[in-house]
Amino acid sequence: MNEFASALDHVHATLAGLREQGVELRASAASLARLAATPTAAALAPAPLPVASPVVETRPLSDKPAAPTGAKAERLAELRSPVLACTLCPHLVKSRTQVVFGVGNPEAELMFVGEAPGEDEDLQGEPFVGKAGQLLTKIITAMGYARDDIYIANVLKCRPDMPPGESGNRKPKAAEMATCLPYLRQQIDIIQPRALVALGATAMEGLLGAVEPMAKLRGRWHEFNGIPLMATYHPAYLLRNQSLTEKRKVWEDMLLVLERLAKPISDKQRGFFLSKG
Ligand code: URA
């Protein structure tokens, strides 16, 4: 192993260790400030945001935010260890930096489910922290939540490997998702959110085995283990298709979620992404 690779290994091991100890890994102050911007239609626009490079902040213990407590938090913490050590897909064990368990409020009333970690998530150990994740955070903020209010997880907990010499992402295979689904099922069983949102057709395929285009799946309620499930486009789709019409479709799906959860919706929120003319 060359010096760079071993240094990188060391950084990953340190980050994983810190995370295990509950030390918060934080994005730069500038990127956090951007994410905290008021929820306006403009805030949802997928403006190119720099990918936040993780800054490890080792604050004194006394200053550390309290770790989530309660039965759900404890049960999630118990589930976390075996999932992080999972070796059910040997090819993914070889290629992954780490398992990406899930993040957020164990008491969340709303849970978002994506397909699988990408490169940023594999490196940082947290779902939806890359460009698509930053857009998801804007959607969550526009809905009136903080990212910390929600729980976010993927169907597949390891980054799908790529053939040698190829970069980028590939879609998780049905068999990989089926192998990993019990972990997500347990997360959902513990959290018992009042609603689930599947981000993209692949997440829907992983959850329900529904192999249908998102155009057919979105905008209506499905069910997973007795929990209402809304399907909508993956934020990466919105990054590729930045038309008002596509943004509005996702936003209408989120309005249905807010209505189902009996959340207050302002006129301003109702009007996001409607053409003015
Ligand atoms: N896309 C996903 O589906 N999940 C992630 O965590 C990141 C990107």
Side-chain angles (χ1 to χ4, degrees):
M1 191 185 295
N2 66 30
E3 260 177 48
F4 177 73
S6 94
L8 205 58
D9 269 355
H10 178 70
V11 169
H12 290 148
T14 308
L15 289 177
L18 287 168
R19 212 175 270 112
E20 285 296 290
Q21 291 164 41
V23 174
E24 201 183 350
L25 306 182
R26 305 212 309 177
S28 72
S31 68
L32 282 181
R34 256 194 309 279
L35 294 179
T38 27
T40 62
L44 248 177
L49 288 170
V51 175
S53 47
V55 172
V56 180
E57 198 172 272
T58 50
R59 287 176 294 168
L61 274 178
S62 56
D63 193 23
K64 218 173 71 175
T69 52
K72 290 183 180 183
E74 275 167 29
R75 288 177 65 202
L76 274 182
E78 263 169 40
L79 175 64
R80 192 182 183 92
S81 306
V83 175
L84 293 190
C86 179
T87 55
L88 288 175
C89 304
H91 60 296
L92 300 183
V93 175
K94 250 195 244 161
S95 61
R96 77 189 179 206
T97 304
Q98 58 194 310
V99 174
V100 180
F101 180 73
V103 72
N105 182 359
E107 309 280 341
E109 62 181 5
L110 178 58
M111 180 165 170
F112 284 86
V113 178
E115 57 180 65
E119 186 179 13
D120 294 305
E121 291 76 21
D122 173 69
L123 288 173
Q124 296 186 43
E126 180 172 329
F128 284 99
V129 290
K131 287 205 170 92
Q134 289 165 9
L135 179 53
L136 175 62
T137 303
K138 286 182 175 180
I139 293 170
I140 289 169
T141 309
M143 292 172 80
Y145 291 103
R147 186 174 154 107
D148 289 353
D149 296 332
I150 307 294
Y151 200 87
I152 307 173
N154 285 307
V155 177
L156 188 62
K157 310 287 189 224
C158 292
R159 183 181 187 211
D161 58 344
M162 292 298 289
E166 279 186 39
S167 59
N169 297 316
R170 72 159 169 84
K171 189 183 148 180
K173 294 177 185 150
E176 293 167 337
M177 292 196 286
T179 302
C180 212
L181 187 62
Y183 294 144
L184 178 65
R185 199 185 286 280
Q186 288 177 75
Q187 289 174 303
I188 294 171
D189 275 355
I190 293 169
I191 297 166
Q192 285 294 318
R194 290 172 56 214
L196 289 160
V197 175
L199 297 165
T202 306
M204 278 300 274
E205 186 187 332
L207 282 166
L208 298 185
V211 188
E212 275 194 274
M214 187 45 70
K216 290 227 170 106
L217 293 167
R218 62 158 289 271
R220 61 194 171 88
W221 288 100
H222 306 258
E223 205 181 276
F224 181 81
N225 273 13
I227 299 176
L229 166 68
M230 176 57 63
T232 198
Y233 289 106
H234 194 288
Y237 169 84
L238 286 187
L239 292 173
R240 293 192 302 271
N241 301 273
Q242 304 210 6
S243 73
L244 208 57
T245 327
E246 297 311 287
K247 288 178 192 169
R248 178 69 194 180
K249 284 179 191 164
V250 170
W251 187 242
E252 280 176 5
D253 298 338
M254 296 307 102
L255 289 175
L256 289 173
V257 171
L258 290 175
E259 278 166 7
R260 180 106 196 191
L261 296 175
K263 304 296 282 184
I265 305 175
S266 68
D267 289 346
K268 193 172 166 190
Q269 278 175 310
R270 288 212 182 270
F272 286 170
F273 307 112
L274 285 176
S275 64
K276 302 279 180 306

